[in-house]
Amino acid sequence: MEESSSFMSKYRMNNSSFLKGVFIMWKNFVAIGDSFTEGIGDEVEGVELKSWAEQFSQLFEPALSLTNLAKRGLIAKEIRSLQLEKAVALQPDLVSIIAGANDILKGRWNPEEYREEMRLMVSTLSENGAAIIIANQPDFSTRLPISDEQKQVVKKQVLKANEIIDSICKDYEVFLMDFWSHPFSNDLTLISKDLVHPNSKGYREIAHAIFEQVNASTIS
């Protein structure tokens, strides 16, 4: 606990900022998504297992109020149907929407459906006045114990998912977390034994990385 508290205290940011010339004061953060945002993974000695969303919210001063609606196992369509309406009702000023891993890894990949669902979530929350954090997917094919043929399929689908996320970023003002390019994705010391989810250190790293990305897009 002491290590985690010390790490986080170095990166606190006042949540009064300017985003492209507009004054913002975030208070209410809502996270929607799957197990990645719920915070499923292994606890590494010395670092308590907490979701990246919880740790991210605590990096602000004062800390953001967090409602984490994310649940494991869901594809984008299920996240939209089960969580979007609840998220809107909470009237958040900051929302994270990270989805797609289950669409790919569960063999349910439908690129047109994924595009439609992600755009619907982003547009709905954006129209309701929320700032939005989204992310692309890492290259799962480099670490999963699957055949070379399966690796090629997974990589192709991840690239398509990331292309869709890129297109959304061109049409909406969002904060993009680039997991495809982040060194975290290939650092197995930050990954759980299932080789899919981050471990407790990984979630801490992710909270910091997303915080830095948001901070880089604002001027305190």
Side-chain angles (χ1 to χ4, degrees), residues 124-160:
T124 299
L125 288 160
S126 180
E127 288 167 5
N128 279 271
I132 297 171
I133 299 168
I134 63 173
N136 60 20
Q137 296 296 322
D139 186 1
F140 293 107
S141 70
T142 63
R143 63 181 192 244
L144 290 176
I146 54 180
S147 69
D148 289 343
E149 183 179 353
Q150 289 175 307
K151 285 179 185 288
Q152 290 177 2
V153 171
V154 168
K155 186 169 186 175
K156 182 178 179 181
Q157 292 176 351
V158 168
L159 287 169
K160 183 61 179 179

Side-chain angles (χ1 to χ4, degrees), residues 27-77:
K27 294 180 180 179
N28 186 14
F29 173 41
V30 173
I32 65 176
D34 54 28
S35 57
F36 172 80
T37 298
E38 183 182 356
I40 303 303
D42 300 334
E43 185 165 303
V44 179
E45 186 176 353
V47 180
E48 183 180 1
L49 181 62
K50 295 181 183 179
S51 70
W52 73 260
E54 178 181 355
Q55 296 182 73
F56 170 83
S57 67
Q58 293 171 352
L59 290 172
F60 290 82
E61 186 60 53
L64 303 180
S65 172
L66 168 67
T67 303
N68 191 346
L69 299 173
K71 297 295 179 184
R72 68 197 73 183
L74 303 182
I75 64 172
K77 182 178 182 178

Side-chain angles (χ1 to χ4, degrees), residues 7-8 11 29 34-41 47 49-57 59-60 96 98 133-138 140 143 176-180 182-187 189-192 196-215:
F7 179 89
M8 292 177 68
Y11 296 103
F29 173 41
D34 54 28
S35 57
F36 172 80
T37 298
E38 183 182 356
I40 303 303
V47 180
L49 181 62
K50 295 181 183 179
S51 70
W52 73 260
E54 178 181 355
Q55 296 182 73
F56 170 83
S57 67
L59 290 172
F60 290 82
S96 66
I98 301 179
I133 299 168
I134 63 173
N136 60 20
Q137 296 296 322
F140 293 107
R143 63 181 192 244
L176 172 66
M177 183 62 218
D178 183 8
F179 285 127
W180 175 268
H182 199 280
F184 148 81
S185 301
N186 295 313
D187 185 349
T189 67
L190 301 176
I191 304 296
S192 293
V196 174
H197 298 93
N199 59 30
S200 56
K201 284 188 175 180
Y203 282 122
R204 186 180 68 177
E205 178 74 16
I206 289 163
H208 174 212
I210 295 176
F211 176 81
E212 288 291 306
Q213 181 60 34
V214 170
N215 195 16

Side-chain angles (χ1 to χ4, degrees), residues 73-135:
L74 303 182
I75 64 172
K77 182 178 182 178
E78 294 166 333
I79 292 167
R80 189 267 307 158
S81 65
L82 296 172
Q83 300 173 18
L84 179 59
E85 186 175 345
K86 293 177 182 177
V88 171
L90 289 166
Q91 299 183 315
D93 38 42
L94 180 64
V95 181
S96 66
I97 309 169
I98 301 179
N102 287 317
D103 296 71
I104 295 167
L105 299 180
K106 285 191 166 186
R108 299 173 68 180
W109 179 240
N110 181 329
E112 292 310 312
E113 178 181 275
Y114 179 70
R115 184 194 310 274
E116 180 181 342
E117 299 295 348
M118 291 299 295
R119 281 190 170 271
L120 179 57
M121 287 189 279
V122 170
S123 64
T124 299
L125 288 160
S126 180
E127 288 167 5
N128 279 271
I132 297 171
I133 299 168
I134 63 173

